[in-house]
Amino acid sequence: MTRLIAFDVDSTLLRVESLDTALEAALATREDRAAAKVRLHEITRAGMSGSMALRDSLEARLQLAALDRDGVTSVAEQLRQRLTPGMAPLLRKLRERGDSLHAVSGGFADLLEPVLGDLGFGHGDIHANRFVWDADRVSGLDTGYPLSRNGGKAEILNTIPPSPAEATMAGHGSTDFAYPMAVPPDGLNARVRIPK
């Protein structure tokens, strides 16, 4: 039986929130960095709990600090050392069983692709938001991409061929709970599983 297992990335495959890690690094030189960091985590929690729309949460976090290409590249490299213990062998075992694994994240591809590559995810297995760049500065996010909004994970999962016999979403936030809406007419058995 072919199974699709879609993993959230931030605070699931990784021990940290990748965007917050990048923004904290960008905020480190500000005089109000302590207050800005508190605000950053408030916005993140609001987006993950569903009390704030995901897109609003992403846009508000990006407005807190100016990200540049060097900073994004540096944090992407640091994230390679922030894996959740046990995930690499788990992913290997699932692939050996023949499961189809995908990483589906409300985070950003520029930050996540190096570490996800280390975990064996190919380009077609990685689904993440995209920064909009203005020269070497992040000016926003691609708001047309489904993962920039609530319910986007379900939209993405419904586009992954072929239809598996079973699908599981492993994640931790309210955006992961939207997946049961992704049941297509052919009867895909969709479930949400939260790792302990």
Side-chain angles (χ1 to χ4, degrees), residues 125-136:
D125 306 329
I126 299 170
H127 313 273
N129 278 306
R130 298 170 183 129
F131 289 130
V132 172
W133 293 91
D134 181 4
D136 284 336

Side-chain angles (χ1 to χ4, degrees), residues 127-182:
H127 313 273
N129 278 306
R130 298 170 183 129
F131 289 130
V132 172
W133 293 91
D134 181 4
D136 284 336
R137 292 252 179 227
V138 173
S139 61
L141 70 148
D142 178 356
T143 58
Y145 194 63
L147 291 171
S148 72
R149 59 184 175 267
N150 292 82
K153 287 186 179 181
E155 290 181 49
I156 291 294
L157 292 174
N158 278 329
T159 67
I160 298 173
S163 292
E166 179 181 323
T168 300
M169 178 74 208
H172 75 292
S174 70
T175 59
D176 302 310
F177 287 102
Y179 183 57
M181 299 182 316

Side-chain angles (χ1 to χ4, degrees), residues 4 6 59-60 62 68 72 75 96 101 112 121-123 131 133 140 142 151 156 170 175 196:
L4 165 63
E59 289 176 334
L62 288 175
D68 61 28
V72 167
V75 170
E96 287 168 4
L101 306 185
L112 298 174
F121 291 96
H123 185 72
F131 289 130
W133 293 91
D142 178 356
I156 291 294
T175 59
K196 293 184 180 185

Side-chain angles (χ1 to χ4, degrees), residues 19-64:
L19 179 59
D20 285 7
T21 300
L23 292 171
E24 285 178 21
L27 292 171
T29 59
R30 285 177 39 168
E31 288 183 22
D32 66 340
R33 64 184 164 270
K37 185 176 176 180
V38 168
R39 180 68 184 134
L40 172 64
H41 292 292
E42 288 171 351
I43 296 167
T44 300
R45 279 191 298 276
M48 287 176 25
S49 70
S51 63
M52 182 180 208
L54 177 62
R55 181 175 296 155
D56 294 342
S57 171
L58 291 171
E59 289 176 334
R61 283 183 272 171
L62 288 175
Q63 288 174 6
L64 274 177

